[in-house]
Amino acid sequence: MSRIVTFTTDFGLQDHYVGTMKGVVLNINPEASLVDISHSVQAFDVLDGALTITQAYRYFPSETIHMVVVDPGVGTARRPILVTTEKHMFIAPDNGVLSLVYERESRLSVRHISAEHYFLQPVSPTFHGRDVFARVAGYLSKGVEAAKFGEEITDFVRFAAPRPKAVNERTMRAVVLKVDKFGNIVTNITPQDAPALFQSTPPAFKIMLGSHEVSDLKAAYAQGAPGQVFAILGSMGYLEIAANRASAADILGAKKGLEVGLIFEGAGVAAQPGS
Amino acid sequence: MSRIVTFTTDFGLQDHYVGTMKGVVLNINPEASLVDISHSVQAFDVLDGALTITQAYRYFPSETIHMVVVDPGVGTARRPILVTTEKHMFIAPDNGVLSLVYERESRLSVRHISAEHYFLQPVSPTFHGRDVFARVAGYLSKGVEAAKFGEEITDFVRFAAPRPKAVNERTMRAVVLKVDKFGNIVTNITPQDAPALFQSTPPAFKIMLGSHEVSDLKAAYAQGAPGQVFAILGSMGYLEIAANRASAADILGAKKGLEVGLIFEGAGVAAQPGS
Amino acid sequence: MSRIVTFTTDFGLQDHYVGTMKGVVLNINPEASLVDISHSVQAFDVLDGALTITQAYRYFPSETIHMVVVDPGVGTARRPILVTTEKHMFIAPDNGVLSLVYERESRLSVRHISAEHYFLQPVSPTFHGRDVFARVAGYLSKGVEAAKFGEEITDFVRFAAPRPKAVNERTMRAVVLKVDKFGNIVTNITPQDAPALFQSTPPAFKIMLGSHEVSDLKAAYAQGAPGQVFAILGSMGYLEIAANRASAADILGAKKGLEVGLIFEGAGVAAQPGS
């Protein structure tokens, strides 16, 4: 039984932590196939972890086991959970890091992992990735049934992803979700939030980031002139602010959490999310 | 059918991009064996990508599929291509990133990947790594024949790697190709370019980098005295400037693209590349 | 025969080096299962490499092959060695990088790898990771017996890990072994060195780092108040200085090698390591 186990953590790659967790999985199931999604989630940043796993998991085959360890509460009463959806399984701390998975999936089972005989004893209060989560991933990958790990719960932690808000019928207030490796500024505006922007001939608009204004929309990065900053529908499904072969974030000094304003020059074109 | 798929990109490891591409490959072929060559190619730097894949691919087994995604033109008219050589397969944008592979391989077939039914629809204009290249890699790894993906072309993009130039019979002008993780300065001078330098008793020489002069040649890093900067034939097949347990690039302030002069003190010893 | 090969190096991930070594292993044994422990060992830092492999290897299944390449003496007379313990195999330069493995394992066989016909010829004097170590790992993973690679030796290089020293019966002098990705400061004090500290009701104590004083002990990171720096028994088995959702190393300006003082306020409670 060759099962895929993915890893999404804020552990970085400089220490032994990730390798050690992989050893634990392989010690239980040497045939497991291990794939890194990212170990560079911002430290302790549950929303960043949620964005990362949500973008990646749905491209993996059915029955993939996703370990998501962004766990500032390690060693406290926060529960380890095992989530099964129609096609995937997730192991994570119950701190909301799977919130965006919950948003996408209609059929969910969430269990409190309480079967301590699957853990590596004694459990270190500072490294459940090794002593709890990797162990459960290993046994799951060997075919142990989800129900063996604990009871279903309904009071699991979830948060709502930040959504853009309509200020008036021409103006929407949004936020920078993240800046990617290329310096692309990912906002939380989707085509559903601002359908007018993604029509074949969109109305005139301005996007405000701090003191900067962006009013061009491109379909591909390479359509931008050198040094030009423009809006583009990115591969994550969000409106991005980008530049051609350059970092828009560096040019504009933009960071995660920065407020973004979207203003349509014409009337009556903005959608009403959150209104 | 367990096939190896390698990844060489400028995507970095901080985002979900690499994990997502791996999910796409595994969703088609869960038995594929995935290997990272590097995701730290300099952003948008096609020559750096070319150097990276060329150094690594030939050590892999026959039939390995190499995905090379350094793709500043993503979403524009630049073509995705599928290259087969005697022993290997490559999937990349047609922007020259395989130029150094073309130089090494005598038998080449280059195809324009046009069979869009293999793509993930709708194709994002900003992430062909996911929607085009990883999909083709997945199907190739399952045994779909190269010819199914598109027609052979002959007008593919290729550039010549920068070669040292003889200025006169004692002097050669070269360039820094890259600085590696240890601060070793990799020039584009090969033993074929300057055979005299690699004789058992080489003539006196000077290597000029900016205002610095290097005139020692060592066979191993540890032969250098503390703080000493010396020349050495590196594992990539190029002359390097290095230091023992220190970064020659930091000591000399050298970067990619810096001009390098090689001057033989005696007469008539330099080769005549480019002459 | 599917065998696991792990990699622990100071090569970083920005160049082709790691991918190339993996190609060499797979070219010999395409069925090998490759796992990174870390490629971010501090450059040339044999102790850091020793800490990294020692923390990780014992979690892997029996028969795992561990390649450890932190090798400032590459190309000189230092020997490549093959170490077999009761459950694991190690390939490394003979520079002490396996010293902490030697400390943990009672049954050891250390061989000088001298069978050059297993090497990739010509062997580059600057990249034994590719031409020597990866080749041996590949053949080992195919089932070639350890004895085929060379004779047993007893004069292999080993160093003693830095241990805390009792200054008097109330005071112990220790050192910072490393700072991890989260900024946790890992000292070399174990529960065996200072059992009083890990009693259910430990006596009053002070830990001195530079001009800073730490006198709280917590069981989990999240028990710390914002900005508070405290001591904690970490997952590596050492006393750590940490902060809740913050970098203790940044707060205290601490680095590897910094002296650490542990002072018990009561009398007669310190252990006597090194005395």
Side-chain angles (χ1 to χ4, degrees):
Chain A
M1 178 156 205
S2 166
R3 276 288 260 299
I4 296 165
V5 178
T6 81
F7 295 82
T8 303
T9 80
D10 60 354
F11 290 172
L13 293 171
Q14 59 261 57
D15 304 308
H16 66 95
Y17 299 133
V18 171
T20 296
M21 293 192 301
K22 291 179 177 174
V24 171
V25 174
L26 292 169
N27 198 26
I28 298 167
N29 182 7
E31 302 303 317
S33 177
L34 310 183
V35 181
D36 297 307
I37 291 177
S38 178
H39 297 287
S40 299
V41 171
Q42 291 299 302
F44 322 120
D45 187 335
V46 170
L47 174 59
D48 196 35
L51 284 168
T52 303
I53 187 60
T54 307
Q55 283 295 325
Y57 83 90
R58 47 200 151 108
Y59 295 97
F60 280 82
S62 288
E63 309 271 290
T64 296
I65 297 161
H66 301 280
M67 256 181 76
V68 184
V69 190
V70 181
D71 192 12
V74 61
T76 66
R78 71 93 192 86
R79 300 169 291 195
I81 54 173
L82 167 55
V83 176
T84 52
T85 66
E86 206 175 346
K87 297 174 68 175
H88 294 268
M89 310 184 85
F90 300 83
I91 304 163
D94 181 30
N95 60 13
V97 74
L98 299 179
S99 292
L100 304 186
V101 172
Y102 303 151
E103 278 190 15
R104 293 185 64 89
E105 298 285 342
S106 48
R107 288 207 246 156
L108 275 181
S109 149
V110 181
R111 292 176 183 278
H112 173 196
I113 298 170
S114 57
E116 301 191 1
H117 56 281
Y118 290 113
F119 302 171
L120 201 56
Q121 298 293 351
V123 171
S124 163
T126 67
F127 195 5
H128 286 195
R130 178 188 69 192
D131 298 341
V132 175
F133 299 113
R135 292 278 291 193
V136 173
Y139 287 109
L140 269 176
S141 79
K142 288 274 280 190
V144 175
E145 285 169 37
K148 301 275 191 193
F149 295 95
E151 298 293 313
E152 281 206 54
I153 58 174
T154 55
D155 63 340
F156 50 88
V157 175
R158 60 192 301 174
F159 56 76
R163 298 287 311 281
K165 287 193 173 29
V167 176
N168 58 46
E169 61 176 11
R170 285 174 43 201
T171 307
M172 182 173 296
R173 188 178 297 137
V175 74
V176 174
L177 285 179
K178 68 174 284 177
V179 170
D180 80 1
K181 188 260 179 179
F182 296 99
N184 298 317
I185 302 164
V186 182
T187 77
N188 63 339
I189 301 171
T190 68
Q192 288 70 43
D193 297 321
L197 200 55
F198 301 97
Q199 292 168 0
S200 51
T201 51
F205 68 91
K206 293 191 297 196
I207 296 170
M208 308 297 305
L209 287 100
S211 59
H212 297 277
E213 199 177 303
V214 176
S215 54
D216 284 296
L217 188 70
K218 303 289 183 192
Y221 296 128
Q223 291 175 0
Q228 185 193 9
V229 173
F230 50 83
I232 188 168
L233 178 61
S235 65
M236 295 175 66
Y238 295 112
L239 188 72
E240 296 179 10
I241 311 301
N244 184 10
R245 301 185 187 223
S247 164
D250 285 352
I251 295 171
L252 303 188
K255 285 191 181 161
K256 179 182 164 169
L258 181 69
E259 191 175 296
V260 176
L262 169 60
I263 302 157
F264 285 99
E265 305 285 346
V269 288
Q272 291 84 18
S275 64
Chain B
M1 179 157 205
S2 166
R3 276 288 261 299
I4 297 164
V5 178
T6 81
F7 294 82
T8 302
T9 79
D10 60 354
F11 290 173
L13 292 171
Q14 60 260 57
D15 305 306
H16 66 95
Y17 299 134
V18 170
T20 297
M21 293 192 301
K22 291 179 176 174
V24 170
V25 174
L26 292 169
N27 198 26
I28 297 167
N29 182 7
E31 302 303 318
S33 176
L34 310 183
V35 181
D36 296 308
I37 291 178
S38 177
H39 297 287
S40 300
V41 171
Q42 291 298 301
F44 321 121
D45 187 333
V46 170
L47 173 59
D48 195 34
L51 283 168
T52 303
I53 186 59
T54 306
Q55 283 295 325
Y57 82 89
R58 47 200 152 109
Y59 295 96
F60 281 82
S62 287
E63 310 270 290
T64 297
I65 297 160
H66 301 281
M67 256 182 74
V68 185
V69 190
V70 181
D71 192 12
V74 61
T76 66
R78 71 93 194 85
R79 299 169 292 193
I81 55 173
L82 167 56
V83 175
T84 52
T85 66
E86 207 176 343
K87 298 174 68 177
H88 294 269
M89 310 184 83
F90 300 84
I91 305 163
D94 181 29
N95 60 13
V97 74
L98 299 178
S99 292
L100 304 186
V101 172
Y102 304 152
E103 278 189 14
R104 292 186 64 90
E105 298 285 342
S106 48
R107 287 206 247 156
L108 276 180
S109 149
V110 181
R111 293 176 183 277
H112 173 196
I113 298 171
S114 57
E116 299 190 1
H117 56 280
Y118 289 112
F119 301 172
L120 202 55
Q121 300 292 352
V123 171
S124 163
T126 68
F127 195 6
H128 286 195
R130 178 187 69 193
D131 299 341
V132 175
F133 298 113
R135 294 277 290 192
V136 172
Y139 287 109
L140 269 177
S141 79
K142 290 274 278 189
V144 174
E145 285 169 37
K148 300 277 190 192
F149 294 95
E151 298 292 313
E152 280 207 55
I153 58 174
T154 54
D155 62 340
F156 51 89
V157 174
R158 61 192 300 175
F159 56 76
R163 299 287 310 281
K165 287 193 175 31
V167 176
N168 57 47
E169 61 176 12
R170 287 174 42 200
T171 307
M172 183 174 294
R173 188 178 296 137
V175 75
V176 174
L177 285 180
K178 69 174 282 179
V179 170
D180 80 2
K181 187 259 181 181
F182 296 98
N184 298 316
I185 302 165
V186 183
T187 76
N188 64 339
I189 301 172
T190 68
Q192 289 70 44
D193 297 322
L197 200 55
F198 302 97
Q199 292 168 359
S200 51
T201 52
F205 68 91
K206 292 192 296 195
I207 296 170
M208 309 297 305
L209 287 99
S211 59
H212 296 279
E213 198 176 305
V214 176
S215 54
D216 283 297
L217 188 70
K218 303 289 183 192
Y221 295 129
Q223 290 176 0
Q228 186 193 11
V229 173
F230 50 84
I232 189 168
L233 178 60
S235 66
M236 297 175 66
Y238 295 111
L239 188 72
E240 296 179 9
I241 310 302
N244 184 8
R245 301 184 187 223
S247 164
D250 285 353
I251 296 171
L252 302 187
K255 284 190 180 163
K256 180 183 165 171
L258 182 69
E259 191 175 296
V260 175
L262 168 60
I263 302 157
F264 286 99
E265 305 286 345
V269 289
Q272 290 84 17
S275 63
Chain C
M1 179 155 207
S2 167
R3 276 289 260 300
I4 296 165
V5 178
T6 80
F7 294 82
T8 302
T9 79
D10 61 354
F11 290 173
L13 292 171
Q14 59 261 59
D15 304 306
H16 67 94
Y17 299 133
V18 171
T20 296
M21 291 192 302
K22 292 180 176 173
V24 170
V25 174
L26 292 170
N27 198 26
I28 297 167
N29 182 7
E31 303 302 318
S33 177
L34 310 184
V35 182
D36 296 307
I37 291 178
S38 176
H39 297 288
S40 300
V41 171
Q42 292 299 301
F44 322 120
D45 188 334
V46 170
L47 174 59
D48 195 35
L51 284 168
T52 302
I53 185 61
T54 305
Q55 283 294 325
Y57 82 89
R58 47 200 152 107
Y59 295 96
F60 281 83
S62 287
E63 309 272 288
T64 297
I65 297 160
H66 301 281
M67 256 181 75
V68 184
V69 190
V70 181
D71 193 12
V74 61
T76 66
R78 71 93 192 86
R79 299 169 292 193
I81 54 173
L82 166 56
V83 176
T84 52
T85 66
E86 208 175 342
K87 297 174 68 175
H88 294 268
M89 310 183 85
F90 299 83
I91 305 163
D94 181 28
N95 60 14
V97 74
L98 299 179
S99 292
L100 303 186
V101 172
Y102 304 151
E103 278 189 15
R104 294 186 64 90
E105 299 285 342
S106 49
R107 286 206 247 155
L108 275 181
S109 148
V110 181
R111 292 175 183 277
H112 172 195
I113 299 171
S114 58
E116 300 190 1
H117 57 280
Y118 289 113
F119 302 172
L120 202 55
Q121 299 291 352
V123 172
S124 163
T126 67
F127 195 6
H128 286 194
R130 178 187 69 192
D131 299 341
V132 175
F133 299 113
R135 293 278 290 192
V136 173
Y139 287 109
L140 270 176
S141 79
K142 288 275 279 189
V144 174
E145 286 169 36
K148 300 277 191 192
F149 295 96
E151 298 293 313
E152 280 206 55
I153 58 175
T154 54
D155 63 340
F156 50 90
V157 176
R158 60 192 301 173
F159 56 76
R163 299 287 311 280
K165 286 193 175 28
V167 176
N168 58 48
E169 60 176 11
R170 287 174 43 202
T171 308
M172 184 173 294
R173 189 179 295 138
V175 74
V176 174
L177 285 179
K178 67 174 285 177
V179 170
D180 81 0
K181 188 260 181 179
F182 296 100
N184 298 317
I185 301 164
V186 183
T187 77
N188 63 339
I189 301 171
T190 68
Q192 288 70 43
D193 297 321
L197 200 56
F198 302 97
Q199 292 168 0
S200 51
T201 51
F205 68 91
K206 293 191 295 196
I207 296 170
M208 308 299 305
L209 287 100
S211 59
H212 298 276
E213 198 177 304
V214 176
S215 55
D216 284 297
L217 188 70
K218 303 287 184 193
Y221 295 130
Q223 290 176 1
Q228 186 194 10
V229 172
F230 50 84
I232 188 168
L233 178 59
S235 65
M236 296 175 66
Y238 295 111
L239 188 73
E240 297 179 10
I241 311 301
N244 184 8
R245 301 184 187 224
S247 164
D250 285 353
I251 296 171
L252 302 187
K255 285 189 179 162
K256 180 184 163 168
L258 182 68
E259 192 175 296
V260 176
L262 168 62
I263 302 157
F264 286 99
E265 305 285 346
V269 290
Q272 291 82 18
S275 63

